[in-house]
Every structure is written in structure tokens, then in C-alpha cells.
Amino acid sequence: MNDWPEGFSGDNRGSRYGRGSSSAQPESARVMRQVRRGPAASPGQAAYGGAPPYGGGVPQQPSYVDGGGHGPGDGYDSGYNTGQVYGSPGGRGPGGPGDGVYEPGPAPNWRRRIKVTAITVVTLLVVTSVGTYFWADSKLNRDVDLSKVIDRPEAGEGTNYLIVGSDSRKGMSAEEKKKLHTGSAAGKRTDSMMILHTGGGAPTLISLPRDSNVTIPSFKGSDSGKLYPASGRQTKLNAAYAEDGPELLVRTVEANTGLHIDHYVEIGFAGFANIVDAVGGVEMDIPKDIKDTKSGADLNKGKQTLNGEQALAFVRTRYALEGSDLDRTKNQQKFLSALANQVATPGTVLNPFKLYPTMGAGLDSLVVDKDMGLFDLASMFWAMKGVSGGEGKSMNMPIAGNAVNGNLQWDTAKVKTLVSQLKNDERVTVSGN
């Protein structure tokens, strides 16, 4: 409330109304719509009936009766006792309702916000998934053409993968070869071969020892296209791969088993070690101490996490094992199943800092057939994970003994039963060595 005396201007400088100038003129009266001015005072009339205190040039001031510049009965209500400002209706500022005063907006529509957020998240996931799919698909090396394989057996129920670990040193530096104890042999051979069957039931993983005695069938050269007739030549299974690569290996496996191979997957030394390192190592329970100067293995008994270098040495060791190649194939099965289980854990799949390096390391080093897709590859890994989890069966190809040439001879009767059960996607009852 204004209790200032009438005519008090806050500037006792006589007729000088401007600042810094003696000729300044008084400002025109500011009009506020909520203020009513009383009748003008007569010239020379003082606010309290005396002489004007500021001289004749002072503008006339309204008469204050109620202390606020308003007379009785003029209907003015200061509004201080009702929460109104400047007497405007409803407590709003000058200019009427809503003028200069914050009014709360409508309550937030949480349902709409949640919907928009959900759509945004789903869109980002779809875009990321699609981008990841095409990125991963482009990294697959589809270098194996199974259409070059001749005289193939009919496909059965389920899917059969031929998984090959080669000793290829392609792309490895001299330092890497020394570190991984791979040697510097030219070309490439197979260090391990397995058939993985997936279907309606539990998966089955079967190791094919590299020293298995097989007959090389007629085949068409993968590069030359020349037809080579069968000569009845018997040799080790890994010799087929060394002679004409993956296509002849598939042809030889199919001809000696009668089982149709649907997909081919191969990984070299360096790629194998890189995948293991990308997932942070793989935990294994080593049954006894292993020391092998040829593979570089120097492992103690018990549970431990193997890095890429140690893992490669573990799966390559044969001379330090009592059962030589047969025991090595068992170690390879155990490790590959454990690796697949590690790759498929939430800690890898849901962690982009692990997932993408793992995928990059794995896909860069894999060689697959031209019809192999990412979903086929994922199905293979999930099946191997199932084997490690006890849902499936792992075994060696049944062996009857040694052939005349010293190679491992398959048990013909058991192999025939095994192949029949796989073709019909039945539970495997045959046991291996």
C-alpha cells in the first residue's frame, strides 16, 4: 500500500524532471487501468492545503484520501486481502485474465510418452539388427562351391555340417607362427574334422579322425573341372583335403559314409585363436597335466581359462596323449562345445564390446559354402552349445582297428547304423571310440 504523501516524486530537484538536463520536460503520465485518478487540484494548491513545495512547474498530483490515491466510494479494491494483484479479477496481472501470470499446463500424457519411447527403442533395435545382419553377412567367406561335388547321396532329415579345423597359416606373420607353434609348412591340411547333425531331436557331434582310412572316389577338380576316375586308392582322410581342398573332402566323406553334407565350415589357426581371445578366453577342466613341445601345450591339471594361444595348443596336442589322435578329437569336441557355449552367453551376446569383436574375429576367419547363411551358422553354434550342455551326444566315428596300411579302420556295421539314424533324424544309439 502506498502511504507516501501526496505530491512526493522521489526527486527533490525542483522543476528538473529529466536526468542530466535542465530543459527536460516531465514525462507524460503513466496510465494504469486499475488506477483511478481523482479530480485535478487547482493551480498552486498544495496536497495538504499549503503552498506547493516544489514550485510552480510541478505537475498536479491526484488527491489521496484512502492512502492509495482513491476516494471513498469509487469502488476500488486493492486486492491485497484476496490474493489479487493490482485489483484485477481472479488475482491475475494487468490486462485481464492470464496476463503475465504462469498457469499450469495440462497434465503430461504418460501413455503417449511411453508409446513414443517404445516405438523409438524398437526402431533403433530394428535398424541396428538389420545393419548388423548385413555387416556380418558381408564378412562371410563363401569360397566353397558344393555344386562341384559329384554323385552325391540323397539328403535326409535334419542338417549335416562338416566342420573343419585347418592348419592354414595364411595371413600369419613369422612372429605369430612362432608364438602359436604352427611351423611354416606351405599349403594347408586338416587338423580336425567333425560332422554335426541337427534336427528335431538332440544334436550329435561326430569326430572323424584325420588318420581314418578312406577310399578316394571319382571327383571333379575344383579348379580345373577335370574328371578324375576312381582308382580304389586308399589313404588317410586328411589327404583328400590336401589333394583338392574342401570339395574333394566333402566328396570323400559322402562316398565313404553315404551321408549327405549340407554345409561346410572351416576355420584356420589364427582365426581360432582370435575368437577365443575375443570372448575373453574359455574355461576348461584339464584332466591331467599336458606338456607337448610340438603343439606348445604346457597346461596344468584342473579348471582354468585358456586364452587363444593356450586353446590352440590344447586342441592340437596329440603326441602327449595316450590315445593320440582319438584322444585329441575328444579334446577338440569338448573345447569347441565350450567355445560355442561361451559365445552364446548373455555376457557376450548382450555386450556390444564383446559381441562385435567376437563376430568380427570369427566371421573374418571362417570359410563356408556358398549357400551358408547367418541363420545356418547360428543354428550350428546353438547345436554345439546344446552338446556342451548335455542335451546332445558327442562321439568319435566307430573304429574297428587298424587297416593294413596302418590307418584307422572304421567299423563298417556301426557306421552303417549311425548313418541310417542320422538320415532319419533318429536318436543315435551307436557308440564311438
Side-chain angles (χ1 to χ4, degrees):
M1 298 187 59
N2 190 349
D3 294 329
W4 293 348
E6 180 181 3
F8 183 74
S9 64
D11 189 354
N12 297 330
R13 292 178 292 180
S15 61
R16 297 175 61 187
Y17 279 83
R19 293 194 177 188
S21 174
S22 60
S23 61
Q25 299 298 318
E27 299 179 14
S28 58
R30 294 188 176 94
V31 180
M32 299 177 68
R33 62 171 60 92
Q34 77 276 13
V35 177
R36 291 187 180 181
R37 296 185 180 276
S42 60
Q45 181 181 359
Y48 293 95
Y54 305 111
V58 179
Q60 298 175 357
Q61 302 295 317
S63 173
Y64 289 82
V65 177
D66 63 351
H70 303 282
D74 63 358
Y76 176 81
D77 184 358
S78 66
Y80 286 108
N81 61 336
T82 62
Q84 298 178 2
V85 180
Y86 299 121
S88 60
R92 295 176 176 83
D99 188 3
V101 177
Y102 170 78
E103 291 186 1
N109 189 338
W110 289 108
R111 180 177 296 179
R112 181 177 181 277
R113 291 187 180 185
I114 293 174
K115 182 179 179 181
V116 171
T117 301
I119 292 175
T120 302
V121 170
V122 170
T123 302
L124 288 174
L125 287 175
V126 170
V127 171
T128 302
S129 299
V130 172
T132 299
Y133 176 86
F134 284 105
W135 167 77
D137 188 71
S138 68
K139 295 180 78 66
L140 277 178
N141 301 306
R142 296 183 174 91
D143 298 334
V144 179
D145 188 358
L146 295 183
S147 67
K148 296 179 180 179
V149 181
I150 63 175
D151 300 333
R152 308 190 67 186
E154 293 184 3
E157 299 293 328
T159 303
N160 298 310
Y161 299 85
L162 180 59
I163 303 171
V164 174
S166 76
D167 65 358
S168 171
R169 292 129 174 112
K170 182 179 179 181
M172 296 177 65
S173 65
E175 183 180 351
E176 288 174 325
K177 292 176 183 177
K178 181 179 179 181
K179 177 182 177 182
L180 298 177
H181 300 271
T182 64
S184 299
K188 59 180 183 178
R189 287 151 293 278
T190 54
D191 237 35
S192 62
M193 291 160 284
M194 304 178 189
I195 294 175
L196 175 67
H197 174 83
T198 66
T204 303
L205 184 62
I206 308 160
S207 285
L208 310 176
R210 57 180 288 176
D211 294 340
S212 297
N213 189 59
V214 295
T215 301
I216 300 296
S218 61
F219 67 96
K220 183 185 291 186
S222 57
D223 292 330
S224 65
K226 178 182 177 181
L227 183 63
Y228 295 86
S231 62
R233 175 167 55 101
Q234 293 187 337
T235 184
K236 295 179 180 181
L237 179 59
N238 67 336
Y241 181 92
E243 185 173 333
D244 197 47
E247 288 84 1
L248 179 55
L249 178 61
V250 171
R251 168 72 176 130
T252 303
V253 169
E254 289 186 339
N256 284 265
T257 62
L259 186 67
H260 181 89
I261 300 299
D262 298 287
H263 291 295
Y264 177 91
V265 181
E266 177 186 325
I267 186 168
F269 281 163
F272 180 84
N274 289 339
I275 293 176
V276 175
D277 286 334
V279 297
V282 176
E283 185 179 79
M284 290 293 296
D285 190 357
I286 309 297
K288 62 180 181 178
D289 293 348
I290 299 177
K291 293 186 182 297
D292 185 1
T293 56
K294 292 185 177 295
S295 68
D298 187 5
L299 305 172
N300 296 322
K301 176 182 178 181
K303 282 189 177 182
Q304 55 200 285
T305 299
L306 305 183
N307 61 25
E309 179 183 350
Q310 294 170 323
L312 183 59
F314 175 71
V315 299
R316 293 182 61 219
T317 295
R318 61 184 299 199
Y319 296 103
L321 303 177
E322 184 178 348
S324 187
D325 198 41
L326 291 178
D327 282 350
R328 177 170 72 163
T329 57
K330 294 176 182 178
N331 285 343
Q332 290 170 346
Q333 289 178 348
K334 291 177 183 178
F335 187 86
L336 289 179
S337 296
L339 175 61
N341 186 66
Q342 177 70 23
V343 171
T345 59
T348 300
V349 176
L350 300 180
N351 184 353
F353 297 103
K354 265 193 175 183
L355 176 63
Y356 286 98
T358 302
M359 291 178 64
L363 297 174
D364 276 341
S365 56
L366 289 180
V367 176
V368 299
D369 65 90
K370 293 185 179 298
D371 295 327
M372 185 76 154
L374 287 178
F375 290 110
D376 298 311
L377 195 60
S379 176
M380 183 192 80
F381 270 99
W382 279 107
M384 293 184 68
K385 180 178 182 293
V387 172
S388 67
E391 300 172 5
K393 180 182 180 68
S394 61
M395 57 181 287
N396 276 325
M397 186 65 82
I399 303 295
N402 291 330
V404 176
N405 56 12
N407 299 333
L408 296 176
Q409 185 65 52
W410 292 349
D411 188 318
T412 305
K414 287 187 175 181
V415 170
K416 184 177 181 180
T417 302
L418 172 64
V419 170
S420 175
Q421 291 174 340
L422 294 177
K423 277 188 172 183
N424 296 315
D425 198 24
E426 299 173 347
R427 185 174 66 88
V428 173
T429 59
V430 177
S431 60
N433 297 76

